[in-house]
Amino acid sequence: MSAILGSPEPDRRWLTLPDCKRVLVVVHTVTYGQRLRDVFSLMEGDLRIQVTFTVAPHALGEGAARFLRDLGVAVLPWRAAVREEFDLALAAGSRGIEKVRGPLIRLSHGAGHIKLLREGGRTSAPAAERPTGMLSREYLTRDGRVVPAAVALAHDRDLAELTRWCPEAVPVATVVGDPCYDRIVASLPHREAYRRGLGLSDRQQLVAVTTTWGPSSSFGRFDALLPRLLSELPPDRYRVAALVHPNVWAGHGDRQIRTWLASCRARGLALVPPEADWRAVLVAADKVIGDHGSLTSYATVTRAPVLLARFPEREVHPASPAAALALAAPALSPLHPLEGQLRYAATEYRRREYARVAALLSSEPGRFNRRMRALMYRLLGLGQPAYAPVTEPAEVPPPLDGGVPVPGAAGPGA
């Protein structure tokens, strides 16, 4: 049953199950909400737990409320949420979390802590002397105390980084793995179903163009890259789909993004909406052209060769998957035909090198659901449900813009 966005918390006297443990999911942005969905879904079906959602203030929070509304959940206004007591809280961002009343788990929202801290006056320092945001004191502490009751990490190496940059948070850190890594692996056997759902023909290759957000992203060069792709790649053999970071949509607005790319869409570009499950598109892709964003690193879990369109070295953590990928993937050249470069990337593709990059995404492959659920239930003081959590593949996506769905497309479970 859906609820009105921003509705107040119901009077507990009238609840049918008034003694539930109360969990607050703090959603700052669409990106954070997508990450948290893999987490709070682990508590679904447990009648001992009531999950409440709130949208925390964030400069790039446009679309977060709509994301939750589309899930059909009741949303507690932020001002009310920080006045209530909760048995557990979940967040993938740091802004305002010190105001939450209850033990909070802070998660990463991307692939392997790629981007270095841009605050605190350290932006001029060499990359090796700057922490990533989530592993820094600036993001994990307030007034000298560690805010989260638990810090959920994807990889063992993150503990070493945390020891260097915020050692006081190490006692509450737990390595749980990466949910997107596990979902992509679970989705790989269903690649053909995704391709049919997207409307691709058997002879078409899907070229996924991914971009992160910010001035150093490849989005600012789309005006040069996308028209070339659409003019140089024969449409009967290629479909080009753009996966634009939700923060770009939030910062500039849906209409602006669509109008900026309108001429490209008229020529065949498929623009994947920010609320879509990008994992299915990534698994379906034959080639990936990307920058230093998380999606490009996650592409190494698939078998798609990568062309690197942009890599701002000073902004990327030197031990991150993105930095390792920059050494394994060829760099896009503005001087050579694009179809030839895609063929070159495929010819030079070395599965072992890509696997080494993918191994940096999670040191607990296939175990995120088990480890994350165990952490949540421990903090809740509850015994876990008597069944193993299953990692579900991504759902079959709708047809790409301008594509024709292929008859007989089936879901992963079919």
Side-chain angles (χ1 to χ4, degrees):
M1 180 179 67
S2 63
I4 298 173
L5 187 69
S7 59
E9 185 81 340
D11 190 327
R12 294 174 66 82
R13 294 175 299 173
W14 310 114
L15 295 177
T16 301
L17 298 176
D19 297 323
C20 291
K21 294 281 189 176
R22 304 179 70 210
V23 176
L24 179 68
V25 179
V26 181
V27 176
H28 294 78
T29 69
V30 171
T31 301
Y32 298 174
Q34 290 172 333
R35 188 65 147 206
L36 291 170
R37 188 175 184 179
D38 288 324
V39 181
F40 64 73
S41 64
L42 295 172
M43 298 178 285
E44 290 178 350
D46 193 331
L47 270 65
R48 300 171 296 170
I49 298 173
Q50 168 74 47
V51 181
T52 301
F53 298 80
T54 190
V55 176
H58 194 283
L60 296 171
E62 178 67 28
R66 183 171 66 246
F67 171 81
L68 290 176
R69 183 171 62 244
D70 290 344
L71 294 181
V73 301
V75 179
L76 186 64
W78 174 247
R79 289 184 179 180
V82 296
R83 292 196 300 264
E84 299 280 348
E85 295 283 346
F86 293 91
D87 299 293
L88 180 67
L90 305 171
S94 294
R95 287 176 174 83
I97 61 174
E98 73 280 359
K99 299 177 182 178
V100 174
R101 299 184 180 185
L104 181 136
I105 300 176
R106 171 70 163 85
L107 297 100
S108 168
H109 58 267
H113 306 297
I114 293 171
K115 297 178 182 179
L116 296 169
L117 184 70
R118 289 179 297 209
E119 302 169 6
R122 302 196 217 180
T123 54
S124 60
E129 298 176 14
R130 293 160 56 197
T132 61
M134 180 185 163
L135 302 179
S136 67
R137 283 195 176 95
E138 285 87 341
Y139 276 46
L140 293 175
T141 66
R142 292 293 185 277
D143 300 323
R145 72 175 183 90
V146 176
V147 174
V151 178
L153 303 173
H155 204 284
D156 291 335
R157 65 184 175 80
D158 298 333
L159 283 172
E161 289 292 309
L162 197 63
T163 300
R164 178 182 181 186
W165 299 110
C166 190
E168 57 268 44
V170 171
V172 300
T174 301
V175 178
V176 297
D178 185 297
C180 289
Y181 178 99
D182 290 355
R183 291 288 299 276
I184 292 172
V185 171
S187 301
L188 291 175
H190 309 289
R191 182 172 186 269
E192 289 307 314
Y194 299 150
R195 289 179 56 82
R196 290 195 300 270
L198 291 169
L200 299 168
S201 71
D202 291 340
R203 66 192 303 262
Q204 277 183 316
Q205 293 191 41
L206 175 60
V207 179
V209 185
T210 71
T211 176
T212 186
W213 66 284
S216 61
S217 73
S218 61
F219 185 82
R221 298 181 179 178
F222 270 14
D223 58 342
L225 174 60
L226 295 181
R228 282 192 62 199
L229 281 170
L230 297 169
S231 62
E232 294 182 29
L233 301 183
D236 61 326
R237 291 193 286 117
Y238 293 93
R239 282 302 311 274
V240 180
L243 289 158
V244 178
H245 196 288
N247 284 0
V248 182
W249 293 85
H252 295 282
D254 287 17
R255 185 179 187 279
Q256 183 65 80
I257 300 302
R258 295 183 188 281
T259 55
W260 274 338
L261 300 179
S263 63
C264 291
R265 295 175 68 201
R267 296 171 60 186
L269 174 72
L271 181 58
V272 180
E275 67 275 6
D277 191 339
W278 52 267
R279 292 168 292 204
V281 180
L282 210 59
V283 170
D286 297 279
K287 308 288 193 304
V288 173
I289 300 176
D291 54 17
H292 58 297
S294 290
L295 268 63
T296 317
S297 291
Y298 281 127
T300 61
V301 185
T302 75
R303 293 190 176 274
V306 173
L307 272 176
L308 204 60
R310 195 171 187 187
F311 184 74
E313 185 176 358
R314 287 186 56 83
E315 297 183 19
V316 176
H317 194 289
S320 68
L325 180 57
L327 299 177
L332 190 70
S333 168
L335 303 177
H336 294 80
L338 290 173
E339 189 173 18
Q341 293 187 62
L342 291 172
R343 284 197 298 265
Y344 177 85
T347 301
E348 294 298 311
Y349 177 84
R350 300 292 182 268
R351 182 60 198 156
R352 186 171 297 179
E353 293 182 18
Y354 277 57
R356 281 197 289 266
V357 178
L360 297 175
L361 297 169
S362 173
S363 59
E364 296 290 338
R367 292 184 286 272
F368 174 83
N369 282 359
R370 285 179 175 269
R371 295 182 68 84
M372 189 69 215
R373 193 179 76 169
L375 174 60
M376 291 190 294
Y377 276 79
R378 175 171 62 81
L379 290 178
L380 283 168
L382 292 175
Q384 295 186 60
Y387 58 86
V390 177
T391 301
E392 298 287 348
E395 295 182 359
V396 173
L400 294 169
D401 288 359
V404 178
V406 176

